[in-house]
Amino acid sequence: MTAMQQAYNVYEDRCPTRLVLDRLADKWALLILDRLEGEPVRFNHIRRDIKGISQKVLAQTLRKLERNGLISRTIFPTVPVTVEYALTPLGRTLTDTVSALAHWAEKNMDAIFAAQRAYDETHPV
Amino acid sequence: MTAMQQAYNVYEDRCPTRLVLDRLADKWALLILDRLEGEPVRFNHIRRDIKGISQKVLAQTLRKLERNGLISRTIFPTVPVTVEYALTPLGRTLTDTVSALAHWAEKNMDAIFAAQRAYDETHPV
DNA sequence: CTCCTTGGTATCTATTGGAAACTATCTTTC
DNA sequence: GAAAGATAGTTTCCAATAGATACCAAGGAG
């Protein structure tokens, strides 16, 4: 793509890619990004949809994704106030990969659970 | 693909896909999977390559990946003992997606760092 | 005898995650 | 007029996790 792509090494401690992975590779961020495909969604709507996420972690994760430019936050001065979250163009470039991961999990979970059972049988407590 | 694919909802609390994501969506697991593409690698070799990982977390994450059937662990009775980790066929089906994520991070980190700077300027402490 | 290697485990502390309660503002209900 | 309900969070507290460090056993090199 780029004429001169700098050769980053993901494994290096100070590699910027690592800084990006540190911030994005957690399950809540992935689930939220996946959920935001389609129309913008409100805070409590996401909270109700993604079962099991706490308000604190949702707020933290949304803030993190916003800070990294992947989602936008729009406040509507309704009563009560409405806040809509949506994917930015940058965020939209990531969702393909994210849903690929989700679909891989869905497709292979039987194999994974089988592996777990086999492991637990051969590795007693 | 499958004739009858059960309709799982990733956002549901008890969805098996969530259980899979819980186990695999962390940065160390992604880095290790990415590192294992190619030949099998020994414990301390991985540890030296992936800068900043502690022995404890490396051991834990390897055990987790092994339990989930993504990597294999082979012991060679050399002196000192040698332990080789390698991708299983199942693990190999995941590495495409994993490296897609790593490459996305590499490709877009400039945009991400720019977004961070912009956010920090408009959201003072 | 001492140091180095192998692949870990044990211990301790700092950070994070999750559950629940609380805030503030306005509308609707009783 | 008081209470409940919705909005989008913050605060507080406790449990779980992550990270740093030290330690273990077995043997080879010096």
Side-chain angles (χ1 to χ4, degrees), chain B residues 42 44 55 63 73 80-81 85:
Chain B
R42 283 178 301 99
N44 276 331
Q55 284 184 310
R63 202 88 59 239
R73 178 173 183 274
V81 67
Y85 292 93

Side-chain angles (χ1 to χ4, degrees), chain B:
Chain B
M1 296 289 186
T2 335
M4 271 285 291
Q5 174 102 39
Q6 186 176 345
Y8 289 111
N9 179 358
V10 197
Y11 308 121
E12 279 298 327
D13 210 358
R14 336 199 92 227
C15 166
T17 312
R18 282 278 288 271
L19 295 175
V20 174
L21 271 183
D22 282 0
R23 286 184 173 75
L24 301 178
D26 81 292
K27 78 171 169 172
W28 294 126
L30 296 180
L31 285 169
I32 291 172
L33 285 174
D34 204 45
R35 179 63 192 85
L36 285 185
E37 278 208 278
E39 354 79 281
V41 192
R42 283 178 301 99
F43 183 92
N44 276 331
H45 198 161
I46 304 177
R47 190 182 145 215
R48 277 189 293 266
D49 279 2
I50 301 186
K51 305 281 198 306
I53 194 168
S54 73
Q55 284 184 310
K56 192 184 77 172
V57 173
L58 176 56
Q60 280 175 353
T61 310
L62 286 171
R63 202 88 59 239
K64 185 172 69 174
L65 292 174
E66 187 198 357
R67 177 166 183 260
N68 286 277
L70 298 173
I71 66 175
S72 65
R73 178 173 183 274
T74 315
I75 304 173
F76 297 95
T78 54
V79 165
V81 67
T82 303
V83 180
E84 263 187 9
Y85 292 93
L87 289 175
T88 61
L90 179 62
R92 213 163 276 287
T93 66
L94 181 55
T95 48
D96 279 353
T97 311
V98 169
S99 35
L101 208 64
H103 292 146
W104 182 92
E106 198 169 300
K107 196 169 156 192
N108 293 282
M109 62 189 164
D110 289 339
I112 289 175
F113 291 136
Q116 284 178 9
R117 281 190 301 275
Y119 181 95
D120 293 345
E121 273 169 25
T122 52
H123 297 72
V125 194

